[in-house]
Amino acid sequence: MKEVLLKVENAKAYYKLEKASVRAVDDVSFEIFEDEVVGVVGESGCGKTTLSNLIFMNMLKPLTLVEGKVLFKINGKFEQISSLPREEVKKRFWGTQITMVPQSAMNALMPTIRMSKYIEHLAQSHEIDVRDLLEKAKERFNEVGLDPLWLRRYPFELSGGMRQRAVIAIATILNPKLLIADEPTSALDVVNQKVFLKVLMQLKKMSVVRSIVFITHDIATIRQIADRMIVMYAGKIVEFSDMERMLVRPLHPYAQGLFNSVLTPEPEIRKREISVIPGTPPNLINPPGGCRFHPRCPHVMEICKEKEPPLEEIEEGRKVACFLYSEGKL
Ligand code: SF4
């Protein structure tokens, strides 16, 4: 039986603007187990990055948790991190329990600050001996395939792939339980993508991190490493399943469209024809009523325009939000 590490319950994370709200994550519930990799996929603007900020509790205005909870297990007990002040979350959770590699992380390093300075800042903010942490940083640099001497260098002296590995080395220096990686490979070439994935899985194998949430729009990448997958559409989770069943037979019409629009090496998947999903995702200030996918869905029914389909478990460990299943049609 897998232990739950993080729970998100009925969370609504909106960008509250002066006259309207962008409902980027709208009533989502899920859990992340210890020792697993969960991929989060969906088109641009579906709420993936907001979801990563929600899990990390990086709620900077105008992003606001309107409803719901985020709970993280610490010392065997769940703590509601969403009710804690940001400074407390930062001090007690960031770096040691949860860490995040944000989008374009390799560009987040200031070109004029030596890599070792980041380690010194981290040691000061966690009240750890700087020399001890610098020693640990040398080991971690080695583990991600970087010469520890690079710690004395400036980020602009490293290639893009090396900078990305330096970012993950720094982000995991305090052995956090959960790593959230938001599109970490999208700016890398194919060779560096492979190296980065290898490093990531190596860190997990060594128990430097226990669980990983990997956010991407690239199914070909995530299928190589994920145990389970969340498919998001217009701020909602529309399917959550183990990777194997999802790859062979996605159930939600949007997930089917998404999977049928990429090339994969599996023969059973290759048999399906490549297709595109017609239309564009909705504006999240005023999304369509009922099922948010209904204007683009090839199976739309009357009920889909009126009611919102709940995310329901239709097979063990497999949840789908679609009336084709909950109404007993298949
Ligand atoms: Fe399509 Fe209806 Fe299912 Fe939505 S609920 S995905 S519109 S069939």
Side-chain angles (χ1 to χ4, degrees):
M1 179 91 171
K2 287 209 162 190
E3 297 277 327
V4 175
L5 178 63
L6 174 121
K7 286 196 274 194
V8 175
E9 293 179 356
N10 307 105
K12 295 184 178 183
Y14 294 176
Y15 294 90
K16 297 203 112 190
L17 310 177
E18 212 171 296
K19 291 193 176 138
S21 288
V22 180
R23 292 148 67 177
V25 167
D26 207 3
D27 201 6
V28 302
S29 299
F30 60 94
E31 69 299 309
I32 305 295
F33 295 129
E34 283 181 3
D35 207 21
E36 73 165 346
V37 179
V38 174
V40 182
V41 296
E43 286 163 294
S44 295
C46 71
K48 301 188 300 291
T49 293
T50 308
L51 191 79
S52 67
N53 282 317
L54 171 72
I55 300 172
F56 193 52
M57 270 289 111
N58 187 27
M59 308 297 277
L60 286 174
K61 294 256 176 273
L63 182 59
T64 313
L65 182 64
V66 177
E67 263 180 60
K69 298 175 192 168
V70 180
L71 301 117
F72 193 89
K73 197 195 270 174
I74 183 165
N75 301 326
K77 280 191 193 153
F78 280 104
E79 194 157 344
Q80 192 180 326
I81 52 172
S82 52
S83 66
L84 301 175
R86 182 181 168 84
E87 279 313 306
E88 190 176 342
V89 176
K90 248 174 138 172
K91 202 162 179 200
R92 289 183 46 222
F93 288 84
W94 287 7
T96 51
Q97 303 294 327
I98 317 177
T99 196
M100 180 146 115
V101 175
Q103 249 181 46
S104 312
M106 61 187 186
N107 298 326
L109 295 169
M110 290 282 287
T112 51
I113 294 182
R114 283 183 209 273
M115 232 74 79
S116 54
K117 265 279 170 224
Y118 289 96
I119 307 295
E120 287 168 27
H121 285 317
L122 207 60
Q124 278 152 11
S125 61
H126 285 86
E127 292 162 17
I128 301 170
D129 187 274
V130 175
R131 276 163 306 174
D132 288 351
L133 205 61
L134 277 169
E135 279 311 305
K136 211 171 163 198
K138 285 182 192 166
E139 276 173 40
R140 185 59 38 85
F141 264 50
N142 248 326
E143 285 158 2
V144 301
L146 292 174
D147 189 323
L149 288 175
W150 287 111
L151 271 164
R152 287 200 239 130
R153 303 285 185 92
Y154 293 98
F156 73 83
E157 296 179 87
L158 278 70
S159 69
M162 289 164 87
R163 256 180 291 157
Q164 189 70 310
R165 274 182 280 152
V167 168
I168 200 159
I170 296 168
T172 59
I173 198 99
L174 300 171
N175 292 20
K177 288 189 196 138
L178 178 64
L179 167 73
I180 305 154
D182 187 4
E183 302 270 9
T185 54
S186 55
L188 300 178
D189 60 44
V190 180
V191 174
N192 276 306
Q193 278 183 10
K194 282 199 168 143
V195 173
F196 184 83
L197 290 184
K198 209 171 152 194
V199 162
L200 200 61
M201 295 320 286
Q202 183 65 18
L203 291 175
K204 183 169 173 292
K205 204 170 158 198
M206 288 161 38
S207 296
V208 168
V209 295
R210 301 291 307 274
S211 308
I212 298 169
V213 175
F214 194 106
I215 307 227
T216 183
H217 60 272
D218 181 3
I219 292 172
T221 298
I222 197 61
R223 55 178 285 284
Q224 299 173 48
I225 59 163
D227 301 300
R228 296 196 295 159
M229 187 186 269
I230 289 175
V231 179
M232 285 191 78
Y233 182 76
K236 300 269 182 191
I237 293 177
V238 295
E239 186 160 352
F240 193 5
S241 165
D242 58 275
M243 196 69 212
E244 217 175 300
R245 281 184 288 180
M246 184 84 94
L247 272 180
V248 174
R249 187 171 157 253
L251 295 176
H252 192 279
Y254 174 67
Q256 290 168 354
L258 202 62
F259 280 69
N260 289 349
S261 63
V262 292
L263 282 168
T264 59
E266 288 86 353
E268 65 274 24
I269 299 165
R270 259 189 287 142
K271 276 187 220 138
R272 302 199 293 252
E273 285 183 11
I274 296 285
S275 58
V276 288
I277 306 169
T280 49
N283 179 339
L284 293 182
I285 290 180
N286 191 16
C291 171
R292 288 189 181 177
F293 189 55
H294 87 251
R296 302 173 76 187
C297 181
H299 307 289
V300 61
M301 302 171 280
E302 272 316 302
I303 188 174
C304 311
K305 298 175 192 167
E306 288 152 20
K307 272 173 70 182
E308 191 181 314
L311 184 69
E312 285 181 339
E313 186 157 41
I314 55 123
E315 291 169 18
E316 201 188 335
R318 188 158 206 201
K319 291 182 178 175
V320 183
C322 174
F323 288 124
L324 287 172
Y325 306 93
S326 60
E327 296 292 291
K329 300 252 166 158
L330 283 183

